[in-house]
Amino acid sequence: MKPADLKTQLDRIDARDQDPVWISRCPRAAIEAAAAGAPSGPLRGVTFGIKDNIDLAGLPTTAACPDFAYTPAVSAPVVARLVAAGAIPLGKTNLDQFATGLVGVRSPYGVPVNPFGSDFLPGGSSSGSAVAVAAGLCDFALGTDTAGSGRVPAAFNNLIGLKPTKGLLSTRGVVPACRSLDCVSIFARTVGEAAEVLAVAAGYDAEDPFSRRAEPPLANESWPPRIGIPRADQREFFGNAAAAQLFAAAVNKWRQLGATIVEIDYTPFRDAARLLYEGPWVAERYAAIRDFIEKKPDSLHPVTRRIIEPARALTAVSGFEYGYRLAALRRQADQVWREIDVLLTPTAGIVYTVAEVEADPVRLNSNLGYYTNHMNLLDQCGLAVPAGFLPNGMPWGVTLAAPAFCDDRLLRLGARFLGEAAPPRALAPAGPLVRLAVCGAHLSGLPLNGQLTRLGATLVEATTTAPQYRLYALPGTTPPKPGLVRVAADGAAIAVEVWELPRDAYGHFVAEIPAPLGIGTLVLKDGASVQGFLCEAIAVANAEDVTAHGGWRAYLASRR
């Protein structure tokens, strides 16, 4: 990521003076000193804002409640990882108090002004983080996302909003909203930048009981993807016909890109979303600040208190009942994922004005969560991307969602939708990796490539073997397959692709390979040895020798 000019950013921040985007800021001299001495990491010199429910050593953490404030001695691990990579924190950003809301107006520190329209919501709860990036005050920002707080503000500010799989980014040092659901999220201007931040920020934290190691599938890259959309009668735009047209345009763009569009029953996602503010997850919000709310209830924002305080009446029995309902909905959602690879929805059906939400704060906030509230309950990752502008000048966006640990796939699909270059893989799988050379139907774009990508394999390079092989077209195979044979003389260099996949996934892949093909050791043109496809010599006795074409793809092209 290329950092913006630091002086320009700091001058811009200073010119805004008492800006409700920030709750507290690092002193300018300290920022300049940190930039001068920043480590030579992948994010050297890149500036970022930090939602003020995430600890930054030396600045108060308020969660937008002055009476709750404390000053941490150490930064949250996710912040520390970014600083160690050379990133420069600028300060703490405003939010809906205790991260309760999707609107961005529930803060005693004021309402961050949406740079696209001052009358409209900045989105929440990560309001300040989104506006700081959109207004060019920092290069990226951290938010949190329990119910949509990292996606709705992204949509309202024309940004990328990445909600990673739960547990990929440590939540130690984060004031909880719903501790079992909370995620640290990323706001950026491009998908590639979000991927760069994720690559640094993600990491297992043994001291965080909710931390998780990255697991396959990490990057299912098969094409075309099956993209699910809610049935027409299940789409909600809350009276905004222009938003409905923008969603239709987004769906059509995916069709033009070659994706297969599948209408799905959105019921399990919709019903799971409704659970978030009905049962034990409201009680979890109460548990997160129980001592504080019982001692100082009047310190809470009135709407925040109205939402959280009724949790006192909930019982353990109701908690189990809601848990059973959610388990049933997860099973229903699992069936949907058998039909699709990715879910595409609006990020929010409508963008409200601040005045509209102040007049009807709870119902309109709930409307904004129609497409977002389910995601952490059902253990999914999500990527919000811009998808056009409404007639009122406000940006509007869509969200791509997928099951846990498909974060890299969402980033690659989001980049394709926006016309960006595909970002490199951001997540490293747990455990060792195996490099595998393929020479036939498993090559990119050919019929069996999906067997690799579904296991989380990632393309490393296109290269050739050493000049020690011959290639044959095996008769009677469907789809057509080649046989690669190592020879003692008269060999040639054959085009191959080298893929990388987790060792466990490699075992699954090898177990499915039919005779006469098998896996052995291939020598590449640079002398390196990798695992790769080889064929039994007896199987090519009557096969066509296609070595002269230099590779399977060239041979197939010659037959057209």
Side-chain angles (χ1 to χ4, degrees), residues 124-126 144-145 148-154 160-163 185-187 384:
S125 61
S126 309
T144 60
D145 191 315
S149 295
R151 290 161 281 152
V152 170
I160 304 301
L162 173 63
K163 189 216 76 68
S185 68
I186 297 165
F187 293 98

Side-chain angles (χ1 to χ4, degrees), residues 86-283:
I88 313 300
L90 299 185
K92 307 296 289 294
T93 56
N94 206 347
L95 66 150
D96 282 317
Q97 190 177 79
F98 293 113
T100 302
L102 296 174
V103 288
V105 302
R106 300 171 182 171
S107 171
Y109 296 96
V111 178
V113 177
N114 190 310
F116 292 91
S118 59
D119 291 338
F120 290 88
L121 296 177
S125 61
S126 309
S127 52
S129 291
V131 172
V133 178
L137 308 183
C138 56
D139 295 317
F140 75 92
L142 296 181
T144 60
D145 191 315
T146 302
S149 295
R151 290 161 281 152
V152 170
F156 292 177
N157 287 272
N158 204 42
L159 297 174
I160 304 301
L162 173 63
K163 189 216 76 68
T165 297
K166 284 188 301 180
L168 285 181
L169 278 62
S170 173
T171 53
R172 186 159 56 95
V174 177
V175 178
C178 294
R179 194 176 177 199
S180 65
L181 301 179
D182 293 339
C183 296
V184 174
S185 68
I186 297 165
F187 293 98
R189 295 186 188 89
T190 70
V191 173
E193 290 173 352
E196 289 183 66
V197 176
L198 177 64
V200 171
Y204 180 71
D205 179 3
E207 296 183 53
D208 175 5
F210 293 95
S211 184
R212 301 159 78 183
R213 299 184 191 276
E215 299 176 2
L218 294 171
N220 183 343
E221 299 175 22
S222 58
W223 190 265
R226 300 169 301 166
I227 295 183
I229 60 173
R231 291 194 323 242
D233 62 309
Q234 296 174 324
R235 299 172 206 161
E236 285 286 356
F237 299 96
F238 308 100
N240 192 331
Q245 293 172 359
L246 286 176
F247 184 67
V251 172
N252 187 54
K253 183 174 181 178
W254 276 114
R255 285 197 179 97
Q256 293 173 348
L257 289 170
T260 301
I261 303 299
V262 182
E263 286 202 351
I264 58 104
D265 182 0
Y266 193 65
T267 299
F269 305 95
R270 180 197 64 200
D271 290 355
R274 291 172 176 168
L275 296 181
L276 190 63
Y277 284 98
E278 290 182 4
W281 299 280
V282 180

Side-chain angles (χ1 to χ4, degrees), residues 28 41 60 70 157 161 229 234 259 267 270 327 416 433 439 441 528 547:
R28 181 167 182 146
Y70 63 91
N157 287 272
I229 60 173
Q234 296 174 324
T267 299
R270 180 197 64 200
R416 188 180 287 246
L433 298 172
C439 60
T547 306

